[in-house]
Amino acid sequence: MSFVIRTAALGDIAAFTEIYRESVLNGVASYEIDPPTLDEMEARFTAITGKGYPYIVAVEQTGLILGYAYASAFRTRPAYRWLVEDSVYLAPEARGKGVGKALLAELIRRCTDLGFRQMVAVIGGAHPASIAVHSAAGFAHSGRMTATGFKHGRWLDTVFMQRALGDGAETEPSVTDYPGTMG
């Protein structure tokens, strides 16, 4: 599958809304039950990008959007400002074809370039494919919470995975290292 990864734009939100809608209705990665509207997805996009976090998209040569990924605050307390949480969502036809792996690799690169020191994945439903993609990208298991969500008639576990970015915890960040407007 041939595709490019670029910075996401407002014009991509309709496609993101449909990809996320399918994931909410049929998957376990998100614990939302009702898919958000286009307006809500636009508000979320604007909130994330407005704080300087990376938001990217994988696009096939025909212009078809295959998936998207973004980083956002894990928590809003100031001491967490060096930590980001990743999110990756794929269209059904893009799954298992390396799109998620490529999006995650690019997201890691961009977050590292912005000065973040850690990335965490919060994997809803403990989905094996998501765990495998994150493991391949250098994430390690950092915890599991059992029966944290109830969706599609069953209890779901949540897996946490984490990886260092840049210097990670090897050096102390300085004020000039502050990752933009995030935090």
Side-chain angles (χ1 to χ4, degrees), residues 82-117:
W82 309 104
L83 169 66
V84 288
E85 179 179 343
D86 76 271
S87 295
V88 180
Y89 290 95
L90 302 176
E93 63 271 18
R95 295 177 188 150
K97 300 189 173 149
V99 178
K101 183 178 180 180
L103 280 166
L104 184 55
E106 179 62 14
L107 192 63
I108 290 167
R109 186 192 68 75
R110 290 184 185 209
C111 287
T112 301
D113 289 350
L114 286 169
F116 290 103
R117 296 297 190 93

PDB file of all heavy atoms in Angstrom, residues 82-117:
ATOM      1  N   TRP A  82       6.039  16.931  29.976  1.00  0.00           N
ATOM      2  CA  TRP A  82       7.042  16.230  29.162  1.00  0.00           C
ATOM      3  C   TRP A  82       6.519  14.908  28.627  1.00  0.00           C
ATOM      4  O   TRP A  82       7.210  14.198  27.905  1.00  0.00           O
ATOM      5  CB  TRP A  82       8.310  15.986  29.988  1.00  0.00           C
ATOM      6  CG  TRP A  82       8.768  17.250  30.640  1.00  0.00           C
ATOM      7  CD1 TRP A  82       8.624  17.599  31.952  1.00  0.00           C
ATOM      8  CD2 TRP A  82       9.400  18.352  30.009  1.00  0.00           C
ATOM      9  NE1 TRP A  82       9.129  18.855  32.163  1.00  0.00           N
ATOM     10  CE2 TRP A  82       9.622  19.345  30.982  1.00  0.00           C
ATOM     11  CE3 TRP A  82       9.817  18.605  28.696  1.00  0.00           C
ATOM     12  CZ2 TRP A  82      10.233  20.558  30.705  1.00  0.00           C
ATOM     13  CZ3 TRP A  82      10.423  19.820  28.420  1.00  0.00           C
ATOM     14  CH2 TRP A  82      10.621  20.776  29.412  1.00  0.00           C
ATOM     15  N   LEU A  83       5.300  14.554  28.992  1.00  0.00           N
ATOM     16  CA  LEU A  83       4.683  13.271  28.649  1.00  0.00           C
ATOM     17  C   LEU A  83       3.505  13.494  27.708  1.00  0.00           C
ATOM     18  O   LEU A  83       2.657  14.341  27.968  1.00  0.00           O
ATOM     19  CB  LEU A  83       4.192  12.597  29.937  1.00  0.00           C
ATOM     20  CG  LEU A  83       3.296  11.368  29.823  1.00  0.00           C
ATOM     21  CD1 LEU A  83       4.058  10.202  29.203  1.00  0.00           C
ATOM     22  CD2 LEU A  83       2.758  10.994  31.198  1.00  0.00           C
ATOM     23  N   VAL A  84       3.464  12.735  26.621  1.00  0.00           N
ATOM     24  CA  VAL A  84       2.320  12.791  25.704  1.00  0.00           C
ATOM     25  C   VAL A  84       1.702  11.404  25.575  1.00  0.00           C
ATOM     26  O   VAL A  84       2.368  10.389  25.771  1.00  0.00           O
ATOM     27  CB  VAL A  84       2.711  13.293  24.292  1.00  0.00           C
ATOM     28  CG1 VAL A  84       3.027  14.769  24.300  1.00  0.00           C
ATOM     29  CG2 VAL A  84       3.848  12.495  23.697  1.00  0.00           C
ATOM     30  N   GLU A  85       0.428  11.405  25.247  1.00  0.00           N
ATOM     31  CA  GLU A  85      -0.299  10.168  24.958  1.00  0.00           C
ATOM     32  C   GLU A  85      -0.539  10.117  23.458  1.00  0.00           C
ATOM     33  O   GLU A  85      -0.933  11.104  22.848  1.00  0.00           O
ATOM     34  CB  GLU A  85      -1.631  10.159  25.701  1.00  0.00           C
ATOM     35  CG  GLU A  85      -2.463   8.923  25.427  1.00  0.00           C
ATOM     36  CD  GLU A  85      -3.780   8.915  26.180  1.00  0.00           C
ATOM     37  OE1 GLU A  85      -3.950   9.680  27.150  1.00  0.00           O
ATOM     38  OE2 GLU A  85      -4.661   8.114  25.786  1.00  0.00           O
ATOM     39  N   ASP A  86      -0.297   8.957  22.863  1.00  0.00           N
ATOM     40  CA  ASP A  86      -0.550   8.818  21.432  1.00  0.00           C
ATOM     41  C   ASP A  86      -1.923   8.219  21.173  1.00  0.00           C
ATOM     42  O   ASP A  86      -2.455   7.482  22.004  1.00  0.00           O
ATOM     43  CB  ASP A  86       0.533   7.967  20.750  1.00  0.00           C
ATOM     44  CG  ASP A  86       0.389   6.480  21.015  1.00  0.00           C
ATOM     45  OD1 ASP A  86       0.944   5.989  22.017  1.00  0.00           O
ATOM     46  OD2 ASP A  86      -0.281   5.800  20.217  1.00  0.00           O
ATOM     47  N   SER A  87      -2.476   8.562  20.022  1.00  0.00           N
ATOM     48  CA  SER A  87      -3.723   7.980  19.533  1.00  0.00           C
ATOM     49  C   SER A  87      -3.561   7.713  18.046  1.00  0.00           C
ATOM     50  O   SER A  87      -3.077   8.584  17.312  1.00  0.00           O
ATOM     51  CB  SER A  87      -4.901   8.936  19.746  1.00  0.00           C
ATOM     52  OG  SER A  87      -5.142   9.134  21.118  1.00  0.00           O
ATOM     53  N   VAL A  88      -3.935   6.510  17.604  1.00  0.00           N
ATOM     54  CA  VAL A  88      -3.829   6.122  16.197  1.00  0.00           C
ATOM     55  C   VAL A  88      -5.124   5.429  15.806  1.00  0.00           C
ATOM     56  O   VAL A  88      -5.547   4.480  16.474  1.00  0.00           O
ATOM     57  CB  VAL A  88      -2.636   5.159  15.958  1.00  0.00           C
ATOM     58  CG1 VAL A  88      -2.540   4.771  14.488  1.00  0.00           C
ATOM     59  CG2 VAL A  88      -1.325   5.767  16.449  1.00  0.00           C
ATOM     60  N   TYR A  89      -5.739   5.881  14.721  1.00  0.00           N
ATOM     61  CA  TYR A  89      -6.972   5.274  14.219  1.00  0.00           C
ATOM     62  C   TYR A  89      -6.844   5.040  12.723  1.00  0.00           C
ATOM     63  O   TYR A  89      -6.363   5.915  11.988  1.00  0.00           O
ATOM     64  CB  TYR A  89      -8.186   6.169  14.514  1.00  0.00           C
ATOM     65  CG  TYR A  89      -8.503   6.193  15.983  1.00  0.00           C
ATOM     66  CD1 TYR A  89      -8.019   7.206  16.802  1.00  0.00           C
ATOM     67  CD2 TYR A  89      -9.248   5.170  16.564  1.00  0.00           C
ATOM     68  CE1 TYR A  89      -8.270   7.208  18.162  1.00  0.00           C
ATOM     69  CE2 TYR A  89      -9.512   5.165  17.926  1.00  0.00           C
ATOM     70  CZ  TYR A  89      -9.025   6.181  18.710  1.00  0.00           C
ATOM     71  OH  TYR A  89      -9.280   6.171  20.053  1.00  0.00           O
ATOM     72  N   LEU A  90      -7.278   3.859  12.283  1.00  0.00           N
ATOM     73  CA  LEU A  90      -7.146   3.464  10.882  1.00  0.00           C
ATOM     74  C   LEU A  90      -8.493   3.104  10.273  1.00  0.00           C
ATOM     75  O   LEU A  90      -9.353   2.522  10.946  1.00  0.00           O
ATOM     76  CB  LEU A  90      -6.223   2.246  10.761  1.00  0.00           C
ATOM     77  CG  LEU A  90      -4.817   2.385  11.311  1.00  0.00           C
ATOM     78  CD1 LEU A  90      -4.079   1.059  11.204  1.00  0.00           C
ATOM     79  CD2 LEU A  90      -4.062   3.490  10.608  1.00  0.00           C
ATOM     80  N   ALA A  91      -8.631   3.407   8.982  1.00  0.00           N
ATOM     81  CA  ALA A  91      -9.782   2.925   8.229  1.00  0.00           C
ATOM     82  C   ALA A  91      -9.676   1.407   8.151  1.00  0.00           C
ATOM     83  O   ALA A  91      -8.561   0.855   8.121  1.00  0.00           O
ATOM     84  CB  ALA A  91      -9.792   3.534   6.831  1.00  0.00           C
ATOM     85  N   PRO A  92     -10.795   0.696   8.122  1.00  0.00           N
ATOM     86  CA  PRO A  92     -10.741  -0.774   8.096  1.00  0.00           C
ATOM     87  C   PRO A  92      -9.851  -1.331   6.981  1.00  0.00           C
ATOM     88  O   PRO A  92      -9.107  -2.292   7.199  1.00  0.00           O
ATOM     89  CB  PRO A  92     -12.199  -1.186   7.897  1.00  0.00           C
ATOM     90  CG  PRO A  92     -12.986  -0.059   8.474  1.00  0.00           C
ATOM     91  CD  PRO A  92     -12.181   1.185   8.184  1.00  0.00           C
ATOM     92  N   GLU A  93      -9.873  -0.730   5.809  1.00  0.00           N
ATOM     93  CA  GLU A  93      -9.090  -1.243   4.682  1.00  0.00           C
ATOM     94  C   GLU A  93      -7.589  -1.011   4.835  1.00  0.00           C
ATOM     95  O   GLU A  93      -6.786  -1.585   4.095  1.00  0.00           O
ATOM     96  CB  GLU A  93      -9.585  -0.646   3.354  1.00  0.00           C
ATOM     97  CG  GLU A  93      -9.449   0.848   3.237  1.00  0.00           C
ATOM     98  CD  GLU A  93     -10.645   1.643   3.750  1.00  0.00           C
ATOM     99  OE1 GLU A  93     -11.474   1.104   4.512  1.00  0.00           O
ATOM    100  OE2 GLU A  93     -10.734   2.831   3.389  1.00  0.00           O
ATOM    101  N   ALA A  94      -7.184  -0.191   5.812  1.00  0.00           N
ATOM    102  CA  ALA A  94      -5.768   0.103   6.023  1.00  0.00           C
ATOM    103  C   ALA A  94      -5.150  -0.746   7.128  1.00  0.00           C
ATOM    104  O   ALA A  94      -3.930  -0.747   7.292  1.00  0.00           O
ATOM    105  CB  ALA A  94      -5.594   1.583   6.349  1.00  0.00           C
ATOM    106  N   ARG A  95      -5.956  -1.473   7.847  1.00  0.00           N
ATOM    107  CA  ARG A  95      -5.450  -2.242   8.983  1.00  0.00           C
ATOM    108  C   ARG A  95      -4.605  -3.426   8.520  1.00  0.00           C
ATOM    109  O   ARG A  95      -4.933  -4.095   7.553  1.00  0.00           O
ATOM    110  CB  ARG A  95      -6.611  -2.710   9.859  1.00  0.00           C
ATOM    111  CG  ARG A  95      -7.321  -1.540  10.499  1.00  0.00           C
ATOM    112  CD  ARG A  95      -8.521  -1.926  11.312  1.00  0.00           C
ATOM    113  NE  ARG A  95      -9.229  -0.704  11.711  1.00  0.00           N
ATOM    114  CZ  ARG A  95     -10.517  -0.628  11.905  1.00  0.00           C
ATOM    115  NH1 ARG A  95     -11.279  -1.711  11.793  1.00  0.00           N
ATOM    116  NH2 ARG A  95     -11.080   0.507  12.251  1.00  0.00           N
ATOM    117  N   GLY A  96      -3.499  -3.646   9.236  1.00  0.00           N
ATOM    118  CA  GLY A  96      -2.619  -4.760   8.930  1.00  0.00           C
ATOM    119  C   GLY A  96      -1.725  -4.533   7.726  1.00  0.00           C
ATOM    120  O   GLY A  96      -1.116  -5.474   7.216  1.00  0.00           O
ATOM    121  N   LYS A  97      -1.595  -3.292   7.271  1.00  0.00           N
ATOM    122  CA  LYS A  97      -0.816  -2.987   6.065  1.00  0.00           C
ATOM    123  C   LYS A  97       0.349  -2.033   6.317  1.00  0.00           C
ATOM    124  O   LYS A  97       0.908  -1.475   5.396  1.00  0.00           O
ATOM    125  CB  LYS A  97      -1.739  -2.439   4.987  1.00  0.00           C
ATOM    126  CG  LYS A  97      -2.805  -3.470   4.635  1.00  0.00           C
ATOM    127  CD  LYS A  97      -3.602  -3.089   3.437  1.00  0.00           C
ATOM    128  CE  LYS A  97      -4.494  -4.281   3.104  1.00  0.00           C
ATOM    129  NZ  LYS A  97      -5.729  -3.936   2.522  1.00  0.00           N
ATOM    130  N   GLY A  98       0.694  -1.819   7.580  1.00  0.00           N
ATOM    131  CA  GLY A  98       1.837  -0.976   7.918  1.00  0.00           C
ATOM    132  C   GLY A  98       1.512   0.497   8.084  1.00  0.00           C
ATOM    133  O   GLY A  98       2.404   1.290   8.395  1.00  0.00           O
ATOM    134  N   VAL A  99       0.263   0.880   7.904  1.00  0.00           N
ATOM    135  CA  VAL A  99      -0.110   2.285   8.029  1.00  0.00           C
ATOM    136  C   VAL A  99       0.000   2.744   9.479  1.00  0.00           C
ATOM    137  O   VAL A  99       0.571   3.803   9.764  1.00  0.00           O
ATOM    138  CB  VAL A  99      -1.534   2.534   7.474  1.00  0.00           C
ATOM    139  CG1 VAL A  99      -1.943   3.988   7.638  1.00  0.00           C
ATOM    140  CG2 VAL A  99      -1.623   2.119   6.007  1.00  0.00           C
ATOM    141  N   GLY A 100      -0.520   1.958  10.405  1.00  0.00           N
ATOM    142  CA  GLY A 100      -0.450   2.319  11.812  1.00  0.00           C
ATOM    143  C   GLY A 100       0.985   2.414  12.306  1.00  0.00           C
ATOM    144  O   GLY A 100       1.342   3.335  13.040  1.00  0.00           O
ATOM    145  N   LYS A 101       1.808   1.484  11.873  1.00  0.00           N
ATOM    146  CA  LYS A 101       3.224   1.484  12.254  1.00  0.00           C
ATOM    147  C   LYS A 101       3.917   2.748  11.746  1.00  0.00           C
ATOM    148  O   LYS A 101       4.681   3.392  12.471  1.00  0.00           O
ATOM    149  CB  LYS A 101       3.906   0.239  11.687  1.00  0.00           C
ATOM    150  CG  LYS A 101       5.346   0.094  12.061  1.00  0.00           C
ATOM    151  CD  LYS A 101       5.926  -1.196  11.487  1.00  0.00           C
ATOM    152  CE  LYS A 101       7.369  -1.366  11.862  1.00  0.00           C
ATOM    153  NZ  LYS A 101       7.948  -2.604  11.326  1.00  0.00           N
ATOM    154  N   ALA A 102       3.636   3.130  10.505  1.00  0.00           N
ATOM    155  CA  ALA A 102       4.241   4.332   9.922  1.00  0.00           C
ATOM    156  C   ALA A 102       3.740   5.599  10.622  1.00  0.00           C
ATOM    157  O   ALA A 102       4.531   6.514  10.892  1.00  0.00           O
ATOM    158  CB  ALA A 102       3.944   4.391   8.429  1.00  0.00           C
ATOM    159  N   LEU A 103       2.446   5.664  10.908  1.00  0.00           N
ATOM    160  CA  LEU A 103       1.909   6.824  11.616  1.00  0.00           C
ATOM    161  C   LEU A 103       2.536   6.952  13.004  1.00  0.00           C
ATOM    162  O   LEU A 103       2.936   8.048  13.412  1.00  0.00           O
ATOM    163  CB  LEU A 103       0.384   6.721  11.740  1.00  0.00           C
ATOM    164  CG  LEU A 103      -0.435   7.104  10.513  1.00  0.00           C
ATOM    165  CD1 LEU A 103      -1.872   6.632  10.661  1.00  0.00           C
ATOM    166  CD2 LEU A 103      -0.375   8.610  10.267  1.00  0.00           C
ATOM    167  N   LEU A 104       2.644   5.847  13.720  1.00  0.00           N
ATOM    168  CA  LEU A 104       3.221   5.889  15.053  1.00  0.00           C
ATOM    169  C   LEU A 104       4.687   6.311  15.010  1.00  0.00           C
ATOM    170  O   LEU A 104       5.131   7.132  15.813  1.00  0.00           O
ATOM    171  CB  LEU A 104       3.064   4.534  15.753  1.00  0.00           C
ATOM    172  CG  LEU A 104       3.544   4.458  17.193  1.00  0.00           C
ATOM    173  CD1 LEU A 104       2.887   5.523  18.072  1.00  0.00           C
ATOM    174  CD2 LEU A 104       3.299   3.062  17.749  1.00  0.00           C
ATOM    175  N   ALA A 105       5.440   5.791  14.058  1.00  0.00           N
ATOM    176  CA  ALA A 105       6.859   6.165  13.930  1.00  0.00           C
ATOM    177  C   ALA A 105       7.004   7.668  13.663  1.00  0.00           C
ATOM    178  O   ALA A 105       7.864   8.332  14.255  1.00  0.00           O
ATOM    179  CB  ALA A 105       7.518   5.360  12.813  1.00  0.00           C
ATOM    180  N   GLU A 106       6.173   8.203  12.805  1.00  0.00           N
ATOM    181  CA  GLU A 106       6.238   9.635  12.505  1.00  0.00           C
ATOM    182  C   GLU A 106       5.796  10.465  13.706  1.00  0.00           C
ATOM    183  O   GLU A 106       6.373  11.518  13.990  1.00  0.00           O
ATOM    184  CB  GLU A 106       5.385   9.973  11.283  1.00  0.00           C
ATOM    185  CG  GLU A 106       5.367  11.444  10.904  1.00  0.00           C
ATOM    186  CD  GLU A 106       6.718  12.042  10.525  1.00  0.00           C
ATOM    187  OE1 GLU A 106       7.686  11.283  10.277  1.00  0.00           O
ATOM    188  OE2 GLU A 106       6.812  13.281  10.470  1.00  0.00           O
ATOM    189  N   LEU A 107       4.797  10.007  14.420  1.00  0.00           N
ATOM    190  CA  LEU A 107       4.344  10.719  15.608  1.00  0.00           C
ATOM    191  C   LEU A 107       5.445  10.743  16.669  1.00  0.00           C
ATOM    192  O   LEU A 107       5.689  11.781  17.298  1.00  0.00           O
ATOM    193  CB  LEU A 107       3.076  10.057  16.154  1.00  0.00           C
ATOM    194  CG  LEU A 107       2.315  10.835  17.214  1.00  0.00           C
ATOM    195  CD1 LEU A 107       1.791  12.160  16.670  1.00  0.00           C
ATOM    196  CD2 LEU A 107       1.167   9.987  17.750  1.00  0.00           C
ATOM    197  N   ILE A 108       6.122   9.630  16.844  1.00  0.00           N
ATOM    198  CA  ILE A 108       7.248   9.566  17.781  1.00  0.00           C
ATOM    199  C   ILE A 108       8.323  10.561  17.375  1.00  0.00           C
ATOM    200  O   ILE A 108       8.856  11.302  18.210  1.00  0.00           O
ATOM    201  CB  ILE A 108       7.813   8.131  17.861  1.00  0.00           C
ATOM    202  CG1 ILE A 108       6.817   7.214  18.567  1.00  0.00           C
ATOM    203  CG2 ILE A 108       9.182   8.103  18.541  1.00  0.00           C
ATOM    204  CD1 ILE A 108       7.124   5.729  18.416  1.00  0.00           C
ATOM    205  N   ARG A 109       8.642  10.592  16.096  1.00  0.00           N
ATOM    206  CA  ARG A 109       9.667  11.520  15.601  1.00  0.00           C
ATOM    207  C   ARG A 109       9.283  12.965  15.881  1.00  0.00           C
ATOM    208  O   ARG A 109      10.078  13.759  16.404  1.00  0.00           O
ATOM    209  CB  ARG A 109       9.908  11.323  14.108  1.00  0.00           C
ATOM    210  CG  ARG A 109      11.079  12.172  13.572  1.00  0.00           C
ATOM    211  CD  ARG A 109      11.137  12.198  12.061  1.00  0.00           C
ATOM    212  NE  ARG A 109      10.027  12.910  11.462  1.00  0.00           N
ATOM    213  CZ  ARG A 109       9.883  14.245  11.442  1.00  0.00           C
ATOM    214  NH1 ARG A 109      10.771  15.024  12.025  1.00  0.00           N
ATOM    215  NH2 ARG A 109       8.843  14.802  10.849  1.00  0.00           N
ATOM    216  N   ARG A 110       8.046  13.313  15.563  1.00  0.00           N
ATOM    217  CA  ARG A 110       7.609  14.701  15.762  1.00  0.00           C
ATOM    218  C   ARG A 110       7.572  15.084  17.236  1.00  0.00           C
ATOM    219  O   ARG A 110       7.944  16.203  17.598  1.00  0.00           O
ATOM    220  CB  ARG A 110       6.242  14.926  15.107  1.00  0.00           C
ATOM    221  CG  ARG A 110       6.328  14.910  13.584  1.00  0.00           C
ATOM    222  CD  ARG A 110       4.994  15.217  12.939  1.00  0.00           C
ATOM    223  NE  ARG A 110       5.076  15.082  11.493  1.00  0.00           N
ATOM    224  CZ  ARG A 110       4.330  15.779  10.641  1.00  0.00           C
ATOM    225  NH1 ARG A 110       3.438  16.650  11.093  1.00  0.00           N
ATOM    226  NH2 ARG A 110       4.457  15.594   9.345  1.00  0.00           N
ATOM    227  N   CYS A 111       7.127  14.188  18.081  1.00  0.00           N
ATOM    228  CA  CYS A 111       7.084  14.481  19.515  1.00  0.00           C
ATOM    229  C   CYS A 111       8.488  14.615  20.096  1.00  0.00           C
ATOM    230  O   CYS A 111       8.739  15.472  20.947  1.00  0.00           O
ATOM    231  CB  CYS A 111       6.289  13.406  20.258  1.00  0.00           C
ATOM    232  SG  CYS A 111       4.507  13.524  19.952  1.00  0.00           S
ATOM    233  N   THR A 112       9.408  13.793  19.620  1.00  0.00           N
ATOM    234  CA  THR A 112      10.799  13.895  20.044  1.00  0.00           C
ATOM    235  C   THR A 112      11.373  15.244  19.628  1.00  0.00           C
ATOM    236  O   THR A 112      12.016  15.933  20.430  1.00  0.00           O
ATOM    237  CB  THR A 112      11.633  12.742  19.453  1.00  0.00           C
ATOM    238  OG1 THR A 112      11.086  11.503  19.896  1.00  0.00           O
ATOM    239  CG2 THR A 112      13.091  12.838  19.872  1.00  0.00           C
ATOM    240  N   ASP A 113      11.123  15.637  18.381  1.00  0.00           N
ATOM    241  CA  ASP A 113      11.606  16.926  17.877  1.00  0.00           C
ATOM    242  C   ASP A 113      11.044  18.102  18.670  1.00  0.00           C
ATOM    243  O   ASP A 113      11.694  19.142  18.789  1.00  0.00           O
ATOM    244  CB  ASP A 113      11.262  17.100  16.398  1.00  0.00           C
ATOM    245  CG  ASP A 113      12.074  16.189  15.482  1.00  0.00           C
ATOM    246  OD1 ASP A 113      13.043  15.549  15.958  1.00  0.00           O
ATOM    247  OD2 ASP A 113      11.721  16.106  14.283  1.00  0.00           O
ATOM    248  N   LEU A 114       9.838  17.947  19.210  1.00  0.00           N
ATOM    249  CA  LEU A 114       9.217  19.009  20.003  1.00  0.00           C
ATOM    250  C   LEU A 114       9.754  19.066  21.440  1.00  0.00           C
ATOM    251  O   LEU A 114       9.438  19.987  22.180  1.00  0.00           O
ATOM    252  CB  LEU A 114       7.697  18.829  20.033  1.00  0.00           C
ATOM    253  CG  LEU A 114       6.969  19.186  18.739  1.00  0.00           C
ATOM    254  CD1 LEU A 114       5.518  18.713  18.790  1.00  0.00           C
ATOM    255  CD2 LEU A 114       7.040  20.690  18.475  1.00  0.00           C
ATOM    256  N   GLY A 115      10.544  18.078  21.834  1.00  0.00           N
ATOM    257  CA  GLY A 115      11.155  18.099  23.157  1.00  0.00           C
ATOM    258  C   GLY A 115      10.472  17.257  24.218  1.00  0.00           C
ATOM    259  O   GLY A 115      10.863  17.305  25.386  1.00  0.00           O
ATOM    260  N   PHE A 116       9.467  16.488  23.835  1.00  0.00           N
ATOM    261  CA  PHE A 116       8.825  15.615  24.815  1.00  0.00           C
ATOM    262  C   PHE A 116       9.792  14.508  25.212  1.00  0.00           C
ATOM    263  O   PHE A 116      10.663  14.120  24.436  1.00  0.00           O
ATOM    264  CB  PHE A 116       7.522  15.036  24.260  1.00  0.00           C
ATOM    265  CG  PHE A 116       6.450  16.076  24.116  1.00  0.00           C
ATOM    266  CD1 PHE A 116       6.148  16.596  22.877  1.00  0.00           C
ATOM    267  CD2 PHE A 116       5.784  16.561  25.222  1.00  0.00           C
ATOM    268  CE1 PHE A 116       5.184  17.582  22.737  1.00  0.00           C
ATOM    269  CE2 PHE A 116       4.821  17.543  25.103  1.00  0.00           C
ATOM    270  CZ  PHE A 116       4.516  18.063  23.851  1.00  0.00           C
ATOM    271  N   ARG A 117       9.637  13.974  26.418  1.00  0.00           N
ATOM    272  CA  ARG A 117      10.571  12.988  26.941  1.00  0.00           C
ATOM    273  C   ARG A 117       9.976  11.587  27.087  1.00  0.00           C
ATOM    274  O   ARG A 117      10.714  10.622  27.181  1.00  0.00           O
ATOM    275  CB  ARG A 117      11.085  13.440  28.306  1.00  0.00           C
ATOM    276  CG  ARG A 117      11.906  14.732  28.269  1.00  0.00           C
ATOM    277  CD  ARG A 117      13.186  14.547  27.437  1.00  0.00           C
ATOM    278  NE  ARG A 117      14.069  15.672  27.581  1.00  0.00           N
ATOM    279  CZ  ARG A 117      15.050  15.743  28.473  1.00  0.00           C
ATOM    280  NH1 ARG A 117      15.272  14.743  29.294  1.00  0.00           N
ATOM    281  NH2 ARG A 117      15.803  16.813  28.546  1.00  0.00           N
TER     282      ARG A 117
END
